[in-house]
Amino acid sequence: MNILILGGGGREHALAWAVAQNPKCDRLIVAPGNAGIAELAECAALDILDGDAVVAFCAEEAVDFVIVGPEAPLAAGVVDALDSAGIRAFGPSAAAARLEASKAFTKEVCDACGAPTAAWARFDTEAAALDDLRARGAPIVVKADGLAAGKGVTVAMKPEEAEAAVREMFAGAHGAAGAEVVIEEFMAGEEASFFVLCDGETVLPIGTAQDHKRVGEGDTGPNTGGMGAYSPAPVLTEAIARQALDEIVKPTVAELARRGTPYRGVLYAGLMIDGGRARLVEYNVRFGDPECQVLMMRLGAQALDLMLACAEGRLAEARVNWAEDHALTVVMAANGYPGPVAKGSQIRGLGELPEDSRRMVFHAGTSARDGQIVAAGGRVLNVTARGATLAEARDAAYAMVDAIDWPGGFCRRDIGWRALGR
Ligand code: AMP
Ligand code: GLY
C-alpha cells in the first residue's frame, strides 16, 4: 500500500523507519520530511494543516493510509477531512483531539469519568485568576488552556511566579491559547508516559517511556521539548500501568465514546506517580517526541500493523509482540538550544554509523546542502539504540554520539540516570 506520514521531525523519521520495514508498505511519502527521512522515503512539500490539500494530495498519489505525526494537523481537522473523503487515517478527529488542544476540556472529561488528576479551576479574567491564586498559595501550576507549543505551563514554587504567569497569559504571551487559564493543584511524584492505541472502543497498551525535559544534566536548567528518552519506564510497574488503564485511560475513552466523539489513534497519557498510584498530568493525542523514537525502535515493523488495526477498528484482534528489551535515545541539539540557535552547521560522521534494527540516528532537524548534512533546527539528531538492558542501550547510543563530529551541537551525557540508578 501507499502510505503518507505527515510531519518532519525525529518522531516522523522513527515512524517512517518502522513503517518502511513492513512488507505491506509499497511506497512511503513523508510531508515535509527532512534530510534523514529522505534516505528511506520520498519527501513532499504539502501544507499539512490544510485538510483539503492533504485529501487532494492523497487522490493524486493514490495514498491508501495516512499517519499523522504532530498535534497541529489533528487539531485542525485533517483526519476529519480524510474520513469524509473515505481515506484511512491514523489519528483522532478534531473533536477528540481536544484532549490535547484544551486543558480545561481534559479536566472536564476527567471529572465526568472519575479519572484521578490534580484539582483545578478555569478562569477567563485576570482578576478572578489572581484572586484564586492568592487564596491557594504555592506551589501551584498555571496553564494556558490551548496549544502553546509546550510553553504554556508554569509550575510555580512561589506565589509571585504564579501571578506573573497569569499576567503574562492574559497579556497575550500565548495568543489565543491563553485567553483562558487553568489553575491546578501541584502534584509531587515521578512522571512517566503511557502509550495506548484506541480504535474508539478497544484500548491496547503499546509501551511506556520517560523523557528528560530539562536542558541540563541532573535535570536542571530551562525546559525543552525533550533531551532524551527511554522505554520502558521502570517506575510504571505492571500494577501501576493496570491502575492507570482501569482508572484513567479506559474511563476517558468510554467518556469520549459516550459523547459521540470516539477516540481513535495513539493516546499518550502523561502520568504523575506517587505512593504507588498514577494520576493524570495531561493527555497528548499523538506520539511523544522523542518518546516515539524509543517506542518504534522496540516495536519495529509491527507498528504499521497496529496503526492499521487501530484505524480500521480491529484492535480487539491485534496483539503486540513484546520483546524484553530496552531502548534509549539521546537528543543532540544545536548550541544555544532551547534559546536561539544558528542554522547550517555541518554534521560529519553520520555516514559511517551502523543503521540496523538496534541502532539508528533519527533526524529531528536537518537538511542536505551540497551533499552534506547540516543542522536546521534546535533539536537536530536523536541517537537511538536498543539493548538487552537499559545500560546496554545507553552505552550503544553514546558510542554513536561519540562518533558524530558536530562542533555546533551538544547533548546531555546522563540520559536514563534515574532509571539506571533504581
Ligand atoms: P503539561 O503540558 O500539562 O504536560 O505540563 C508540562 C509539565 O508541567 C508536565 O510534564 C509536568 O512536569 C508539569 N506539570 C503539569 N501539571 C502539573 C501538576 N498539576 N503538578 C505538577 N507538575 C505539573
Ligand atoms: N516529549 C514530550 C512530548 O512530545 O510532548
Side-chain angles (χ1 to χ4, degrees):
M1 59 171 53
N2 298 336
I3 299 171
L4 170 67
I5 297 176
L6 302 184
R11 168 180 46 211
E12 289 76 24
H13 191 183
L15 288 168
W17 174 81
V19 164
Q21 290 172 45
N22 190 306
K24 288 197 185 78
C25 177
D26 297 312
R27 182 175 174 215
L28 181 60
I29 311 172
V30 184
N34 64 36
I37 293 171
E39 287 169 20
L40 53 85
E42 300 166 44
C43 293
L46 174 63
D47 179 359
I48 65 169
L49 298 181
D50 180 343
D52 293 338
V54 174
V55 167
F57 182 86
C58 290
E60 275 161 35
E61 302 293 337
V63 169
D64 303 294
F65 186 46
V66 180
I67 298 167
V68 184
E71 62 276 18
L74 297 167
V78 167
V79 168
D80 305 68
L82 289 164
D83 270 351
S84 304
I87 299 163
R88 273 175 298 180
F90 177 78
S93 65
R98 290 189 72 204
L99 282 182
E100 177 164 356
S102 166
K103 310 267 185 209
F105 175 79
T106 294
K107 289 298 205 174
E108 275 171 5
V109 168
C110 286
D111 287 354
C113 69
T117 184
W120 69 289
R122 73 204 293 176
F123 300 94
D124 54 14
T125 67
E126 183 179 305
L130 290 176
D131 280 349
D132 183 73
L133 281 182
R134 287 183 191 116
R136 296 218 256 167
I140 192 116
V141 181
V142 177
K143 300 184 176 183
D145 177 62
L147 288 178
K151 297 188 178 72
V153 175
T154 300
V155 179
M157 289 299 150
K158 300 196 190 103
E160 309 85 80
E161 289 164 19
E163 290 183 23
V166 161
R167 289 205 174 88
E168 273 175 28
M169 283 179 199
F170 283 110
H174 306 293
E180 225 179 39
V181 165
V182 169
I183 296 179
E184 268 185 32
E185 165 201 358
F186 170 80
M187 294 188 284
E190 185 170 344
E191 279 187 89
S193 305
F194 188 32
F195 294 87
V196 302
L197 299 183
C198 316
D199 62 4
E201 223 175 299
T202 301
V203 174
L204 182 70
I206 55 163
T208 64
Q210 273 179 301
D211 75 343
H212 293 269
K213 291 203 168 72
R214 305 295 190 115
V215 74
E217 277 160 23
D219 296 320
T220 56
N223 258 317
T224 70
M227 294 302 292
Y230 47 92
S231 172
V235 65
L236 245 174
T237 60
E238 234 170 88
I240 298 174
R242 199 171 320 114
Q243 175 247 328
L245 199 57
D246 291 343
E247 294 182 12
I248 302 174
V249 176
K250 285 185 176 171
T252 300
V253 170
E255 174 64 17
L256 286 196
R258 193 189 65 74
R259 293 175 178 215
T261 53
Y263 192 90
R264 297 197 185 90
V266 59
L267 185 60
Y268 157 0
L271 303 175
M272 189 66 81
I273 295 154
D274 194 28
R277 284 178 59 77
R279 290 202 281 168
L280 183 75
V281 178
E282 59 155 2
Y283 281 123
N284 293 303
V285 298
R286 50 168 174 86
F287 283 108
D289 189 350
E291 291 88 336
C292 185
Q293 289 78 318
V294 286
L295 292 176
M296 290 304 129
M297 174 100 341
R298 295 185 65 211
L299 290 170
Q302 67 176 321
L304 174 61
D305 299 312
L306 294 169
M307 290 188 278
L308 272 171
C310 181
E312 293 170 356
R314 293 187 287 103
L315 270 188
E317 62 194 52
R319 294 285 169 275
V320 180
N321 287 320
W322 292 108
E324 294 291 325
D325 59 0
H326 299 255
L328 182 142
T329 188
V330 178
V331 172
M332 297 186 79
N335 292 338
Y337 178 79
V341 298
K343 287 187 184 171
S345 59
Q346 203 180 337
I347 304 167
R348 293 189 186 83
L350 292 174
E352 289 84 66
L353 287 176
E355 289 191 354
D356 55 34
S357 63
R358 309 179 69 79
R359 287 165 298 181
M360 187 68 201
V361 178
F362 296 117
H363 291 217
T366 59
S367 53
R369 201 179 59 197
D370 307 329
Q372 314 279 358
I373 300 293
V374 299
R379 291 190 294 172
V380 173
L381 299 172
N382 308 136
V383 184
T384 311
R386 192 150 68 104
T389 63
L390 184 58
E392 204 181 296
R394 181 220 26 211
D395 293 346
Y398 279 111
M400 290 193 285
V401 166
D402 291 336
I404 295 171
D405 175 13
W406 181 32
F410 74 100
C411 69
R412 277 179 59 169
R413 299 292 315 189
D414 65 344
I415 300 305
W417 69 271
R418 203 185 290 276
L420 287 160
R422 282 175 86 87

